[in-house]
Amino acid sequence: MASNAITTVEYQSISSISTVHLDIIQTHILTRLDGPALAATACTSSYFRSLTSSHEKLWQEICTSTFPSMKDPRLQNLISTFPCGHRSLFSDSFPVLDHHLQRPSSKHSTTLDYSLLSHTTELISAVDIFYENNTIFSKVEETETITGWFQFPPFRIDLLDEKELVPTPISFVSESEDDILLKRLEEKLSLSWIIIIDDSSQERKAVNLSSRWPVSVERHWLTRDVHMKYAVVVVGGDRRWPWGLFSTTELVECEIMVTLGGKEGGEMYVEEVTMQMKDMEGKNLCGRDSLVILHNSIVNGKRKRAKIRDEGKHKYEEFLVMKREKKHTKLNIERVLNIGCFTGFIVFCSFKLFSCLNRLLSQ
């Protein structure tokens, strides 16, 4: 009875909205919605789903306004190969990755598929940095993934050259105002880093590997540079413990660092924007492993819209707790192994000593 009532109400609402002229809906209603609101509207009924999915120009305007780097002609050509064009890109890139942070366990194994390396030629980064919702930096970076120069050294993407500086409207302040500056940057400087892998064997997909808002903001005591970290945690591959006792599925940190410099009395500037992949021990992963993990995150990573702005920071703090627990567990295992080896050595020496004494007494 209740389901029939709901169906009747839905039918009546659809019937009433369908009486509105299509041009009014498309030009005066849908165009006033932002991306999340438009996506939510598409979920209300099949009528709106068909109406919004066919409005490619509207989705293009939403994508380019949300991510200014998408205006790059290279990306526009690439987006046209996505299943639903700009709508697919937005649904992939606007939500944040939501990997449930479980303790590493042998019950949930993840085997990395290295076969994709043979048909993956390029890693495309679309990066935007905003201060008070105004774009201060936007860039598209293409990274080849075929040669050994990428696959075997530690994975690292640098968006700025050594002496390249990007101006910002942020004032450089004295040491006495550090707390105010760091708090302002934490609240107002956001970042988007969208990754697209050029994989000829699968349909186009993208992922946003930024926490949007910084998980940590620190100022170097000597250089006075401000180091801002944006990070998400993704699922890595299986890791085998010493002597093959057991294996666990590792978590991997995708770390984005933004460095701001400046001089007293002037404006601050962006002098470094980098991405790296690190395991739970803080070791940098090589390009080969990083590419496979990124590919798995793009294809299989769950996405959701953050309910609160600090959700990414809370997730990262949970990850730091797990890192400390893992380090403590590793130290305990090494301590037990050391005690075992030392005990075995003492037993062996005692046995040898007893054997020698026994031979001496028998003579």
Side-chain angles (χ1 to χ4, degrees):
M1 188 73 178
S3 61
N4 291 336
I6 293 173
T7 304
T8 302
V9 171
E10 181 182 2
Y11 175 77
Q12 291 175 348
S13 62
I14 294 173
S15 300
S16 60
I17 193 68
S18 61
T19 58
V20 181
H21 197 281
L22 185 61
D23 288 342
I24 295 177
I25 296 176
Q26 290 185 327
T27 59
H28 296 284
I29 298 178
L30 296 183
T31 54
R32 296 177 181 271
L33 303 179
D34 60 9
L38 188 63
T41 302
C43 296
T44 57
S45 68
S46 57
Y47 174 74
F48 277 115
R49 183 162 55 251
S50 61
L51 194 62
T52 56
S53 61
S54 61
H55 210 321
E56 173 63 12
K57 184 178 180 182
L58 177 59
W59 282 109
Q60 181 179 359
E61 292 174 353
I62 288 175
C63 281
T64 53
S65 61
T66 307
F67 312 113
S69 57
M70 294 299 162
K71 297 176 183 177
D72 191 291
R74 293 171 293 177
L75 285 183
Q76 287 299 311
N77 293 332
L78 190 63
I79 294 170
S80 64
T81 64
F82 276 64
C84 297
H86 288 83
R87 183 167 70 93
S88 294
L89 175 73
F90 188 86
S91 62
D92 285 345
S93 306
F94 185 81
V96 295
L97 277 177
D98 182 36
H99 287 297
H100 183 60
L101 298 185
Q102 295 179 332
R103 267 61 181 172
S105 169
S106 57
K107 296 181 181 179
H108 306 283
S109 61
T110 303
T111 303
L112 298 180
D113 181 14
Y114 286 88
S115 63
L116 63 90
L117 294 174
S118 60
H119 43 76
T120 302
T121 59
E122 202 171 39
L123 194 67
I124 302 167
S125 300
V127 184
D128 299 289
I129 301 178
F130 307 91
Y131 182 71
E132 296 182 329
N133 296 324
N134 296 316
T135 308
I136 61 173
F137 175 77
S138 186
K139 186 173 184 179
V140 174
E141 182 78 9
E142 297 171 323
T143 307
E144 65 83 19
T145 60
I146 300 177
T147 65
W149 290 104
F150 169 84
Q151 294 191 10
F152 300 109
F155 173 79
R156 182 183 174 98
I157 299 178
D158 287 284
L159 296 185
L160 297 178
D161 296 331
E162 186 176 352
K163 295 184 179 181
E164 186 177 359
L165 303 176
V166 179
T168 75
I170 308 167
S171 299
F172 189 94
V173 300
S174 61
E175 186 175 354
S176 61
E177 299 178 287
D178 272 359
D179 292 341
I180 298 175
L181 173 65
L182 298 184
K183 185 68 175 177
R184 187 164 72 245
L185 291 176
E186 184 178 7
E187 294 176 348
K188 298 184 178 181
L189 196 72
S190 59
L191 178 143
S192 168
W193 191 310
I194 297 173
I195 288 286
I196 304 172
I197 293 181
D198 191 359
D199 184 352
S200 58
S201 66
Q202 296 185 2
E203 66 178 26
R204 302 286 188 207
K205 288 183 72 69
V207 69
N208 201 323
L209 290 173
S210 171
S211 53
R212 301 297 173 88
W213 304 99
V215 297
S216 69
V217 183
E218 299 176 350
R219 194 163 196 178
H220 195 276
W221 65 274
L222 181 61
T223 63
R224 311 296 299 146
D225 289 346
V226 176
H227 301 282
M228 307 184 65
K229 178 189 286 191
Y230 302 78
V232 295
V233 180
V234 299
V235 176
D238 294 341
R239 175 169 182 170
R240 188 161 294 279
W241 286 70
W243 294 291
L245 296 177
F246 59 93
S247 62
T248 60
T249 298
E250 289 287 285
L251 297 176
V252 173
E253 174 188 351
C254 178
E255 177 190 88
I256 300 171
M257 294 298 300
V258 176
T259 303
L260 300 175
K263 295 182 179 180
E264 197 83 32
E267 306 295 329
M268 302 192 76
Y269 46 79
V270 181
E271 58 185 19
E272 186 178 54
V273 184
T274 64
M275 173 187 284
Q276 293 179 296
M277 303 286 286
K278 296 183 177 181
D279 63 15
M280 293 189 72
E281 296 180 2
K283 298 177 182 177
N284 291 332
L285 300 183
C286 67
R288 188 169 179 265
D289 292 340
S290 299
L291 181 61
V292 177
I293 292 171
L294 288 175
H295 189 281
N296 180 61
S297 298
I298 290 176
V299 176
N300 302 316
K302 295 182 179 179
R303 297 159 171 83
K304 75 168 189 176
R305 185 180 180 185
K307 296 180 181 179
I308 58 175
R309 198 175 72 167
D310 291 338
E311 187 169 345
K313 185 176 181 179
H314 296 330
K315 285 276 188 180
Y316 184 71
E317 289 172 350
E318 291 179 25
F319 174 69
L320 293 181
V321 172
M322 293 173 61
K323 282 181 67 175
R324 288 192 289 268
E325 290 178 355
K326 178 180 174 62
K327 183 178 180 180
H328 182 68
T329 301
K330 182 180 179 182
L331 290 175
N332 286 339
I333 293 175
E334 291 177 350
R335 189 178 295 113
V336 170
L337 292 175
N338 289 336
I339 293 174
C341 292
F342 182 73
T343 303
F345 177 74
I346 294 298
V347 172
F348 175 77
C349 292
S350 300
F351 177 77
K352 284 294 186 180
L353 180 60
F354 178 77
S355 300
C356 291
L357 290 175
N358 191 33
R359 284 198 299 269
L360 289 173
L361 293 174
S362 63
Q363 293 176 357

